[in-house]
Amino acid sequence: MEEYLKAVIEQIRCKNVRPYVERELRDHLEDQINDNIASGMDKDEAVRAAVKDMGDPIETGIALDRVHRPSIAWGMIALVFVISIAAALIHFAIASGAEGSVYNQSSKTMIMFGAGFLVMLAIYFVDYTHVARFSKLIALCLIGLCIYARMFGTYINGAQLWVRAFFIDINVEAVMMLYVPVFAGILYKYRNVSIQAGKDISGNGLDESDSSIKRHKFSIKKHSAVFDFIKILFWMIVPVFLVMQMPALVTALMMLISMLTLLTIATSKGWFKVSKPIAITSIWGVFVGLPVIGSVVMFFGNGLADYQKARLVAFFTGSGEASYLTNVLRNVAASCRLYGSNGVDASITIPEYNSAYVFSYISITYGLIAGILIACALAALIAIVFGISFKQKNQLGMLMGCGCGMVLLVTTLINIFQNLGWFPPSRTFLPLMSSGGSYIIVTYILIGIVLSIYKYKSIYPKHISVDYKIL
């Protein structure tokens, strides 16, 4: 039997899938051997008969190699490439008619799109399960980076957002968006193993008479699921709180909504031994209610900078100097033509027209149809990300993909709503369109993670081990 298994496995080129295929074949052979013995065969005869029934090992291995082969999401790569080219051309046009900081930013942005695309392809070749395996370590590093920025970061408009590493300025607010897919890996580590069902995480049968299993069952019963849930909330609350302290309220909001969604998905799938309705209702009730209460307290206390308070008052009242930009954005959105320029000079009318308000620049300069096409392209990309995620057999890949999708979805919606004057002016970006090297690279990393998930869609089973092992 061992020689047969070895011959089959040697035909499979993807090394990652070999242990899972070998375990599946071994289980099937052992079941067949037991059936043969039960029918009256001796052990040697039962083994030979079981191996013979499996067929030629070379042919079987070649067939399994065709099934368990890495995949490439060519359609997604093509769409990202088209969006990237369109964004590069837009920033080329911006740089051609600009000077000073806008010229420098848009000129660098064209280079960053190329660099980001290469980073995306590099991430594709990285096994996404490594993110889950080292998720807690990565999360601690991101939290540490956030604390470092809070203590030693560079101030920009009253917020400590930047740190310098090897002569490279890093926007920590942008980098913290990567915490969402990392949090998905942490959630996966806290899922429960169904020992009571007589199966390990790979679906292999367990001997209930084994003393270690009995001890394991006892320890699981003794272990508090509520305590696990508290630890999960700790991993979620701490980074959100730190990002709020920068202050980067919109990014903190995006992170909170995204991680609450991931926690809801994991809870609904029974990953934690808690009451699903109570847990889901509680987390949304607490974390939707608390931010509202916290925002009110921060507004009337000293939690918000003066310019942030002014922006909020202006947005809801429509008066004051701080309401000027919101009113301009609403008027511009209403005056845009279907195609072609509406005659407004975006460089004079709108600040940050190559970054936070690039969507308005596109609509003003090229018309509503151009803006709608950009929005539709991003919507299609986000739909592909969620489609890839929800079709995943592997539950870790499903949740990590949803995390990446949530970051892209929430940031896109907030930015477009802000450009239409439906959301208070704040630091936002439009994925794959706005200038800003850190935001661009982070966006491509998120897309690269999804490509990696798609790559292994036919390789990993429903559940895999993500325990950290040295060598």
Side-chain angles (χ1 to χ4, degrees), residues 214-224:
K214 291 181 178 179
R215 289 193 299 271
H216 197 176
K217 289 174 65 177
F218 176 77
S219 66
I220 286 182
K221 292 178 181 178
K222 185 177 179 180
H223 191 67
S224 171

Side-chain angles (χ1 to χ4, degrees), residues 20 127-137 182 184-191 193 201-202 271 394-397 400 460-470:
Y20 302 104
D127 188 342
Y128 69 92
T129 62
H130 293 327
V131 176
R133 188 164 288 112
F134 301 102
S135 56
K136 292 183 179 179
L137 178 61
V182 173
I186 293 175
L187 283 177
Y188 192 77
K189 278 182 172 289
Y190 280 108
R191 79 200 185 286
V193 181
I201 201 64
S202 300
W271 284 16
N394 179 259
Q395 295 298 286
L396 170 62
M400 285 187 64
Y460 289 132
K462 184 175 181 179
H463 287 293
I464 58 175
S465 174
V466 290
D467 294 333
Y468 173 70
K469 294 180 181 179
I470 300 176

Side-chain angles (χ1 to χ4, degrees), residues 395-465:
Q395 295 298 286
L396 170 62
M398 178 276 297
L399 199 65
M400 285 187 64
C402 286
C404 296
M406 283 301 300
V407 175
L408 297 175
L409 174 62
V410 176
T411 52
T412 298
L413 287 177
I414 290 178
N415 180 266
I416 291 179
F417 287 168
Q418 176 180 289
N419 276 257
L420 295 174
W422 300 349
F423 192 86
S426 53
R427 288 190 309 273
T428 63
F429 80 105
L430 190 61
L432 297 180
M433 297 301 299
S434 295
S435 64
S438 297
Y439 285 112
I440 292 171
I441 296 299
V442 166
T443 302
Y444 280 106
I445 289 175
L446 293 170
I447 297 172
I449 291 174
V450 177
L451 290 176
S452 176
I453 292 169
Y454 186 86
K455 176 182 178 180
Y456 293 102
K457 70 184 182 70
S458 300
I459 293 175
Y460 289 132
K462 184 175 181 179
H463 287 293
I464 58 175
S465 174

Side-chain angles (χ1 to χ4, degrees), residues 2-188:
E2 297 300 328
E3 292 180 358
Y4 179 87
L5 291 173
K6 182 179 179 181
V8 172
I9 297 303
E10 286 178 347
Q11 311 309 312
I12 302 175
R13 286 169 287 183
C14 181
K15 295 181 179 180
N16 293 38
V17 77
R18 287 180 177 181
Y20 302 104
V21 172
E22 182 179 1
R23 178 175 294 177
E24 184 178 351
L25 290 175
R26 187 181 296 277
D27 289 345
H28 182 75
L29 283 170
E30 289 177 351
D31 290 342
Q32 186 60 49
I33 290 170
N34 291 333
D35 291 342
N36 291 342
I37 292 175
S39 65
M41 296 183 184
D42 60 42
K43 186 174 181 179
D44 291 340
E45 184 181 2
V47 172
R48 286 195 297 271
V51 170
K52 183 178 180 181
D53 290 341
M54 291 291 290
D56 183 78
I58 305 301
E59 294 180 359
T60 301
I62 292 174
L64 289 171
D65 178 66
R66 285 197 295 266
V67 173
H68 300 287
R69 181 177 295 180
S71 306
I72 302 178
W74 289 112
M76 183 176 177
I77 294 175
L79 180 58
V80 173
F81 180 77
V82 170
I83 296 175
S84 301
I85 292 296
L89 291 175
I90 289 170
H91 281 278
F92 176 78
I94 292 174
S96 299
E99 57 184 21
S101 61
V102 173
Y103 172 81
N104 293 331
Q105 288 174 0
S106 288
S107 298
K108 292 178 181 178
T109 295
M110 291 184 286
I111 299 174
M112 294 307 298
F113 281 128
F117 198 85
L118 294 178
V119 169
M120 178 192 74
L121 296 179
I123 296 296
Y124 162 77
F125 290 102
V126 177
D127 188 342
Y128 69 92
T129 62
H130 293 327
V131 176
R133 188 164 288 112
F134 301 102
S135 56
K136 292 183 179 179
L137 178 61
I138 297 173
L140 288 175
C141 290
L142 290 174
I143 289 173
L145 179 64
C146 204
I147 294 173
Y148 180 85
R150 188 72 182 89
M151 296 174 63
F152 308 107
T154 302
Y155 275 93
I156 296 180
N157 293 329
Q160 286 180 299
L161 302 174
W162 297 82
V163 296
R164 172 159 289 193
F166 304 107
F167 306 103
I168 298 175
D169 291 323
I170 300 174
N171 187 326
V172 179
E173 181 182 9
V175 174
M176 287 305 293
M177 293 190 297
L178 295 175
Y179 192 94
V180 175
V182 173
F183 179 72
I186 293 175
L187 283 177
Y188 192 77

